[in-house]
Amino acid sequence: MNGNVQVVVVGGGYGGVTAANRLARRDGVSVILVNRRPEFVERIRLHQLATGSDDAVESFGEVLGGNVRLVVDTATRIDAAERRVSLAGGDTLSYDYLVYAVGSGAADPGLPGAAEFAHWVSDLEGAERLRSALDAAPASASVTVVGAGPTGLETAAELAETGRKVTLVCGNVLGPSLHARVRRPVARRLARLGVTVLEGPGALVTEVTGEGVRLDDGREVAGAVTIWTAGFRVPDLAARSGLRTDSAGRLLTDTTLTSVDDERIVAAGDAGAMPDHPFRMSCQAAVQLGPAAADTILRRIAGKAPAPVRMFFAGQCLSLGRKEGVTQFSYPNDKVNAIGISGRTGAGVKEIACRFTLGKLVSGARKAGPRTAHGDDTDRLETPRPEHRTTPSDTGRTA
């Protein structure tokens, strides 16, 4: 391809930022990143925002290269035929290639009362609303956390460590993504923090009320604040744009992350799906998929065939409050094994993982052009959020 190549990256999470920075390092490639917020969200710290131990945001000026133009707006439609993205603010962006990195958010369980009474911790706005609700509730008021994946475990422990009375409603099992042996130190830590753990076939929520939740076996669990952490959803931008998706609404791609409908569209992060090559929605996957998506585009620009993506996982890091944590190791294919680290060392590993991830973004930004005052070259168009589709099979995120 001759002349300047324009790439639009839709979504400014871990996958979108790493893809944008990798692309912006190449001469002759112009990169625009579209994100609905003016700051980068450290999603793996949102449970800390709820208790006030971290603000979970970073300036795009720190994590995004100076050669990347940031547009604060929401993409409402992708016109693949015209290679154009429509924005909620009324503008359109033309592209030669597009990186689909719209990420994921909290799943709507579709249960009575959930939309009205439940809080979420999977996006910045939800975590901020949760913090306000906790601040408004008496310190003695009980809190119910629904879902015992990584997000639920981290949230329950974080709150309990501050002195909150917490009930964790697990469904069938505590920590389903963990090896049985690694669940034991998690259970011990929660017990020391005073968390009431409800698990087993009857511990399934059927209704959320203003006073707590009702379970499948008829029990009622009282709680002044209910936090829903079970499941993710992805934006329906691909489906609304006429692109093929899986049953959860994720953009269908081949093993090079290329849309099965259009080789000019490449996915990165939670909102893409490679048939027969599933990967866990996580920061760990996103920071691999972002650069891989960029490499697919760069190889096509160079007239070369893109290479299939190879994913490597090391494990899952969970904080259980500020003082303890658990690291669950895995095989490279993400299958967990019986090896884990717990206690203060586990907490240290999780903190190192969080700082290392942010450091990698900052390093990538420095390689993608000199740092500039993004306030001078950023279009800030505040817009409403798009509709979403639910991905019920995903139960939590880790570093």
Side-chain angles (χ1 to χ4, degrees):
M1 180 178 291
N2 295 322
N4 187 71
V5 177
Q6 181 151 296
V7 182
V8 172
V9 179
V10 182
Y14 296 99
V17 167
T18 52
N21 284 338
R22 177 70 67 93
L23 289 161
R25 292 163 56 182
R26 181 66 61 89
D27 291 339
V29 177
S30 297
V31 183
I32 299 173
L33 186 140
V34 180
N35 193 61
R36 64 187 179 91
R37 302 182 188 90
E39 64 276 304
F40 174 78
V41 177
E42 282 193 88
R43 191 169 174 183
I44 53 180
R45 290 195 185 273
L46 284 174
H47 61 287
Q48 292 181 246
L49 188 157
T51 60
S53 65
D54 200 283
D55 63 8
V57 296
E58 185 60 75
S59 166
F60 270 120
E62 292 294 320
V63 302
L64 203 60
N67 290 340
V68 180
R69 175 189 168 202
L70 173 64
V71 174
V72 180
D73 207 325
T74 299
T76 57
R77 188 174 185 276
I78 300 167
D79 186 335
E82 297 293 329
R83 298 182 196 162
R84 186 169 57 216
V85 180
S86 298
L87 304 180
D91 290 344
T92 60
L93 298 172
S94 297
Y95 65 84
D96 295 301
Y97 290 93
L98 181 140
V99 177
Y100 189 80
V102 295
S104 62
D108 180 355
L111 296 177
E116 183 178 0
F117 298 112
H119 291 271
W120 325 93
V121 72
S122 59
D123 60 35
L124 181 64
E125 293 80 7
E128 289 175 337
R129 287 192 295 270
L130 170 59
R131 183 174 179 181
S132 296
L134 290 168
D135 288 344
S140 60
S142 58
V143 177
T144 302
V145 178
V146 181
T151 302
L153 294 174
E154 291 190 320
T155 302
E158 200 80 22
L159 291 168
E161 194 178 64
T162 67
R164 288 283 182 181
K165 180 181 178 182
V166 179
T167 298
L168 178 63
V169 182
C170 301
N172 287 325
V173 65
L174 175 75
S177 67
L178 305 176
H179 189 279
R181 184 176 295 177
V182 180
R183 290 177 197 146
R184 296 170 192 166
V186 174
R188 289 195 296 267
R189 170 62 172 166
L190 293 176
R192 288 195 299 271
L193 288 171
V195 177
T196 300
V197 176
L198 304 180
E199 57 183 326
L204 297 173
V205 175
T206 58
E207 183 179 0
V208 182
T209 70
E211 293 74 40
V213 299
R214 293 190 176 94
L215 305 185
D216 191 50
D217 60 7
R219 284 178 290 175
E220 295 191 4
V221 180
V225 178
T226 297
I227 307 167
W228 196 277
T229 70
F232 289 127
R233 60 181 179 177
V234 300
D236 67 350
L237 177 61
R240 285 189 286 110
S241 301
L243 299 169
R244 277 182 284 178
T245 64
D246 68 2
S247 59
R250 294 176 294 188
L251 179 71
L252 282 178
T253 74
D254 62 16
T255 57
T256 71
L257 303 178
T258 303
S259 166
V260 296
D261 296 311
D262 191 326
E263 69 173 17
R264 300 287 183 135
I265 299 175
V266 181
D270 292 352
M274 293 187 289
D276 303 320
H277 292 76
F279 55 84
R280 174 168 47 88
M281 288 184 175
S282 63
C283 168
Q284 189 173 174
V287 295
Q288 297 180 69
L289 293 166
D295 287 346
T296 289
I297 291 173
L298 292 173
R299 289 185 69 86
R300 284 210 166 93
I301 291 173
K304 301 177 181 178
V309 173
R310 299 184 66 187
M311 302 284 288
F312 296 94
F313 291 87
Q316 304 170 42
C317 300
L318 283 72
S319 63
L320 298 174
R322 296 298 85 212
K323 298 178 181 179
E324 293 193 26
V326 165
T327 299
Q328 162 74 76
F329 290 100
S330 71
Y331 301 105
N333 65 357
D334 204 29
K335 181 179 179 181
V336 298
N337 55 41
I339 302 174
I341 299 173
S342 60
R344 289 186 176 273
T345 304
V349 172
K350 172 60 187 273
E351 184 61 25
I352 289 171
C354 290
R355 294 184 181 185
F356 176 79
T357 300
L358 183 62
K360 289 289 288 184
L361 299 185
V362 173
S363 175
R366 290 171 179 165
K367 295 176 183 177
R371 185 173 300 165
T372 62
H374 273 286
D376 295 333
D377 57 4
T378 299
D379 297 317
R380 299 178 182 273
L381 304 173
E382 298 299 334
T383 57
R385 284 182 280 178
E387 295 299 318
H388 291 69
R389 295 182 63 184
T390 299
T391 308
S393 60
D394 298 296
T395 57
R397 300 180 64 89
T398 65

